[in-house]
Amino acid sequence: MPHPTASSLPTWSSVLVVVAHPDDESFGLGAILNAFSGAGAGVDLLCFTQGEASTLHGVPGDLAQVRKAELDAAASALGVQRTTLRDYADGALDAVNLDTLAAEVVAAAESARPDGLLVFDDSGVTGHPDHVAATAVALAAAETLNLPVLGWTLPGSVALDLNREYGAAFTGHPDAEIDLRISVDRERQHAAIQAHASQAVPGSVLWRRLELLGDAENLRWLRPPT
């Protein structure tokens, strides 16, 4: 039988988003967060790292202040009601004790009282090990919280095109492994991306990915609803 692919997000009244980097909420999840908030869901975001100073591309200012200001401006554009930016080292999230990080997610959930968690796919999507680590942490916390986890992914064909064109390391999934394919409006996502002035550089693979995806985003149940 064909895999049944849903065309709408779950009707959660509250969502906790767990990401590794301050631009993940815009570059990766932006249109999905906007869809949740537009449907009336409360969206809280926990980000584990501030990113690397080397990626600021000459933008002046203290790393923590720059990335926090960018994150908050982007979150506002997407309708995110609360952000928490922690300061674990970028590029080394998998070296941090998993229980320590999972406790951060549990604490955020106690405040947000979410119906589910939203994360990057357990493949990490982009090839960055921090994305894999952040999702593993969220899944561990979800076991404690007994909450479903929804993971953002790419169609396999899109990942293949990006890897061929850019020498990137994206991981996608075939249609048979995609649980939700939703139509999105990218206007607010583009506004959020522009808030990350230190990161949204011309020629980035980001723009080509959005072009290939068009008005659709794809998700998988990493921990299905019970």
Side-chain angles (χ1 to χ4, degrees):
M1 291 181 61
H3 180 78
T5 303
S7 59
S8 60
L9 290 170
T11 55
W12 292 344
S13 60
S14 179
V15 184
L16 176 61
V17 185
V18 181
V19 294
H21 307 129
D23 46 43
D24 291 344
E25 98 298 336
S26 298
F27 294 7
L29 304 178
I32 302 167
L33 299 190
N34 184 60
F36 268 121
S37 65
V43 182
D44 283 43
L45 182 137
L46 170 63
C47 179
F48 285 122
T49 83
Q50 298 169 353
E52 287 282 8
S54 61
T55 66
L56 290 176
H57 302 290
V59 176
D62 174 77
L63 173 65
Q65 293 180 355
V66 168
R67 298 313 298 272
K68 182 67 165 65
E70 289 183 342
L71 176 62
D72 287 346
S76 178
L78 296 170
V80 176
Q81 62 186 9
R82 179 166 44 194
T83 64
T84 301
L85 180 60
R86 304 293 286 115
D87 59 356
Y88 294 97
D90 179 87
L93 205 54
D94 58 355
V96 182
N97 180 272
L98 186 143
D99 290 340
T100 298
L101 294 176
E104 299 254 17
V105 179
V106 171
E110 288 174 350
S111 176
R113 299 187 178 278
D115 298 308
L117 307 184
L118 175 64
V119 298
F120 278 36
D121 185 69
D122 54 9
S123 67
V125 183
T126 67
H128 198 301
D130 281 354
H131 293 153
V132 176
T135 296
V137 167
L139 285 168
E143 289 294 322
T144 298
L145 297 162
N146 192 28
L147 288 174
V149 182
L150 197 54
W152 168 67
T153 190
L154 299 178
S157 59
V158 171
L160 183 61
D161 284 346
L162 294 173
N163 293 343
R164 285 174 173 169
E165 294 176 22
Y166 288 84
F170 286 93
T171 299
H173 287 277
D175 288 349
E177 296 176 7
I178 291 173
D179 297 308
L180 288 78
R181 178 170 288 119
I182 63 168
S183 295
V184 294
D185 182 341
R186 298 205 184 273
E187 181 180 358
R188 301 311 299 165
Q189 181 178 23
H190 280 286
I193 288 170
Q194 295 306 318
H196 288 283
S198 69
Q199 304 295 305
V201 296
S204 167
V205 66
L206 161 68
W207 308 113
R208 178 60 173 151
R209 172 167 54 78
L210 294 180
E211 179 185 18
L212 289 171
L213 288 172
D215 64 354
E217 287 290 1
N218 302 264
L219 301 110
R220 300 172 63 232
W221 284 113
L222 304 184
R223 191 175 192 273
T226 56

